[in-house]
Amino acid sequence: MENNRTKIKQSKSTVSIKFISYIVILLFTLLCLLPFILIVSASFSTESVISKEGFGLLPKGFTLSSYIWVFRYPKMIIGSYAVTIIMAVCGTVVGLFLIAMTGYALQRKDFYFRNMLSFFIYFTTLFSAGMAPTFIWVSRYLHLKGSYLAVFLQLLMTPWLIILMKNFTKSVPFEITESGKIDGAGDFKIFISLIFPMLKPALATVGLFLALGYWNEWYQSSLYLGSAVTYKPLQYYLYNIINTANALKSSLAGANVSITNLPSNTLKMATAVVATGPIIFLYPFVQKYFISGITVGAVKG
């Protein structure tokens, strides 16, 4: 069968605009990749060379000393990865479900208390109790100090993500809920069967924020976990490695011992690669949902 499709001829101005747009996007992409390339290059460089010549696109005095420092206790680093992955996966799944239900309930026109509850959620974005009352509440009254739950529960839901999900669910027609009620379905059945499958862009967007929050967490771990647990979350474990190296460098410098090749700056770069490497592969899988989700969530209704 002869193909009768004809190619639409584009004007010179259209071709020029596309060409310029592609060049600008390519340059912007390279600018975004440049810092990460510098980090990877510095992580394989020698500390003494970096101190004298600075960073470069290629490693200077190639060495694995920084990664040897990071992985000198393989069992600990594997345990830290396991703790972080489990917390990120479980926290994202549970948090998504709770945030989606909360956002859906707050936009239901037939929910009498939605305005009052929305006010309390908005209020916490403006005023918070602060670190000291929160620490006392978690450690003294909830007795969670030294438990992974002290970190897990605090990252499970945030007011901003609830507000974001509420804006997402406004795009779902209320008639779908009414149709479920006509068929005799309860509220939970309507949410699971009808509403939840329609929130894919929202779930991908909020899920990415939750996963990143759990993956990058170190401050709550330093407050509530400390040395009480054997395997610390990854970011907190890497933070301790950097502090240990800096303390060792300071003590050796005071003892007039040569510290030229002791990793410091290169160690920070290596820990950045170890920390961001795995999570960076998550973004391509949720990119299309993330972009559309941000667009929908930004629409006010």
Side-chain angles (χ1 to χ4, degrees):
M1 184 177 179
E2 187 178 350
N3 189 0
N4 294 324
R5 293 180 182 175
T6 57
K7 213 171 185 181
I8 299 175
K9 189 175 181 180
Q10 297 179 342
S11 63
K12 290 183 179 180
S13 60
T14 302
V15 174
S16 300
I17 291 173
K18 283 188 174 181
F19 178 76
I20 294 173
S21 300
Y22 291 148
I23 295 297
V24 171
I25 293 173
L26 179 62
L27 291 175
F28 184 74
T29 303
L30 292 176
L31 288 175
C32 293
L33 287 175
L34 185 60
F36 190 74
I37 293 173
L38 290 174
I39 289 174
V40 175
S41 172
S43 68
F44 289 104
S45 301
T46 305
E47 180 71 23
S48 58
V49 179
I50 287 292
S51 301
K52 294 177 182 177
E53 302 179 11
F55 301 104
L57 294 177
L58 295 176
K60 298 179 179 181
F62 184 86
T63 180
L64 296 175
S65 60
S66 296
Y67 289 96
I68 292 174
W69 264 81
V70 174
F71 293 99
R72 58 180 174 167
Y73 301 114
K75 186 178 178 181
M76 298 299 296
I77 193 73
I78 292 173
S80 295
Y81 262 116
V83 168
T84 302
I85 291 172
I86 291 172
M87 289 183 66
V89 172
C90 295
T92 301
V93 172
V94 177
L96 268 180
F97 192 71
L98 294 177
I99 291 173
M101 283 197 300
T102 305
Y104 170 65
L106 292 178
Q107 64 83 38
R108 284 275 298 261
K109 297 178 181 179
D110 56 345
F111 181 39
Y112 182 77
F113 298 103
R114 66 190 183 105
N115 291 330
M116 182 179 65
L117 291 177
S118 296
F119 169 77
F120 284 122
I121 293 173
Y122 289 134
F123 185 83
T124 59
T125 63
L126 302 175
F127 304 97
S128 63
M131 185 181 70
T134 303
F135 182 83
I136 294 172
W137 170 253
V138 173
S139 59
R140 183 176 299 178
Y141 294 97
L142 298 181
H143 305 288
L144 292 178
K145 193 174 187 302
S147 170
Y148 291 116
L149 286 176
V151 179
F152 180 83
L153 294 177
Q154 293 194 65
L155 299 176
L156 202 57
M157 298 176 71
T158 62
W160 183 76
L161 292 180
I162 295 174
I163 295 169
L164 192 64
M165 183 62 74
K166 179 185 175 182
N167 288 334
F168 283 133
T169 53
K170 284 182 179 180
S171 63
V172 179
F174 186 69
E175 288 75 13
I176 294 178
T177 300
E178 292 179 332
S179 66
K181 286 188 174 182
I182 292 173
D183 292 336
D187 290 330
F188 193 75
K189 179 68 175 177
I190 292 172
F191 174 75
I192 295 295
S193 302
L194 301 178
I195 306 300
F196 200 74
M198 299 180 67
L199 299 177
K200 284 184 179 179
L203 296 175
T205 304
V206 175
L208 182 61
F209 284 126
L210 281 172
L212 288 175
Y214 277 104
W215 190 269
N216 294 325
E217 206 294 309
W218 68 272
Y219 184 68
Q220 302 290 346
S221 301
S222 66
L223 289 177
Y224 300 105
L225 298 182
S227 58
V229 295
T230 303
Y231 299 110
K232 301 172 178 61
L234 180 64
Q235 300 286 356
Y236 183 47
Y237 177 73
L238 296 176
Y239 171 77
N240 284 337
I241 289 178
I242 294 176
N243 284 343
T244 302
N246 290 335
L248 180 61
K249 191 171 184 178
S250 299
S251 62
L252 292 178
N256 295 323
V257 178
S258 176
I259 56 173
T260 307
N261 293 320
L262 184 64
S264 177
N265 293 317
T266 57
L267 181 61
K268 295 176 184 178
M269 302 301 134
T271 55
V273 173
V274 172
T276 60
I279 197 66
I280 205 171
F281 293 105
L282 176 65
Y283 182 75
F285 297 101
V286 298
Q287 180 182 8
K288 62 178 181 178
Y289 298 113
F290 181 78
I291 296 173
S292 60
I294 284 291
T295 304
V296 175
V299 177
K300 296 181 180 179

